[in-house]
Amino acid sequence: MENTLSIIRTHVSFGETQYAFLNACSDHPIQDGFIFSKVFTSDSSLTAFLQTMKNTLSLSETFVEEVTRKYSSDFFAQQSLVLLFSDERSGSNRLTLRQVDVTDGRIHLEMERERGLTMDMAYLFLFYPLNSHAIHSSSAHIADKQTLY
């Protein structure tokens, strides 16, 4: 598997209701550095979920169209997709994928965050393609990069 994340930034409405929705849909609870993650094995399940997210998070139609165009039935013929979401406290934060572990049909992505200095929020949708249909659940964790000052 390739250690490549595709990132799309977009605006969302985000509060307690949206957090509860994402937490209920995530393959792993959103807590202690774990972010929303969900595996999709078909374009129809991804499209249905994006429509629900569009209504719940006020996503733009342009965003939904971009994602469904990129991850179409042709994509899902050979691959699956892990969809991740992170609400970053700074738009200049940088996320780096450090490790990917696959065990018993479950994928775990370990990322590192290098904190930026701006005070603008960034809502990141991250996409991780899988060359397998045998993975059915996911988890994704972000740890802050340790710096010595």
Side-chain angles (χ1 to χ4, degrees):
M1 277 181 234
E2 207 177 294
N3 286 357
T4 303
L5 285 172
S6 173
I7 300 173
I8 300 176
R9 294 173 184 250
T10 192
H11 177 74
V12 300
S13 295
F14 199 73
E16 290 180 26
T17 302
Q18 292 77 13
Y19 173 85
F21 164 76
L22 289 173
N23 198 34
C25 297
S26 185
D27 289 341
H28 187 280
I30 301 170
Q31 61 187 16
D32 302 327
F34 284 89
I35 63 171
F36 171 86
S37 65
K38 187 167 184 67
V39 174
F40 293 92
T41 58
S42 72
D43 62 319
S44 59
S45 63
L46 176 63
T47 300
F49 187 72
L50 287 171
Q51 287 301 323
T52 303
M53 284 182 70
K54 178 184 168 206
N55 297 331
T56 306
L57 278 71
S58 301
L59 291 173
S60 72
E61 186 64 37
T62 304
F63 172 83
V64 173
E65 288 172 359
E66 178 182 352
V67 173
T68 55
R69 187 173 40 256
K70 184 172 182 175
Y71 301 108
S72 66
S73 58
D74 290 340
F75 170 86
F76 282 104
Q78 300 292 324
Q79 300 176 82
S80 297
L81 182 70
V82 181
L83 170 62
L84 308 130
F85 174 78
S86 182
D87 59 322
E88 293 295 315
R89 302 293 181 233
S90 172
S92 61
N93 285 357
R94 288 190 303 204
L95 301 179
T96 305
L97 184 60
R98 292 291 179 204
Q99 187 172 340
V100 178
D101 294 313
V102 177
T103 308
D104 298 326
R106 182 171 187 79
I107 186 167
H108 174 74
L109 297 111
E110 189 67 39
M111 293 176 279
E112 183 178 70
R113 175 188 297 117
E114 186 172 348
R115 296 250 179 220
L117 299 175
T118 61
M119 298 303 287
D120 57 327
M121 292 288 295
Y123 300 101
L124 306 179
F125 285 90
L126 304 100
F127 302 89
Y128 187 81
L130 305 167
N131 293 326
S132 171
H133 285 286
I135 298 170
H136 300 287
S137 66
S138 62
S139 61
H141 184 262
I142 300 176
D144 286 326
K145 182 176 183 177
Q146 299 299 315
T147 57
L148 301 173
Y149 292 110

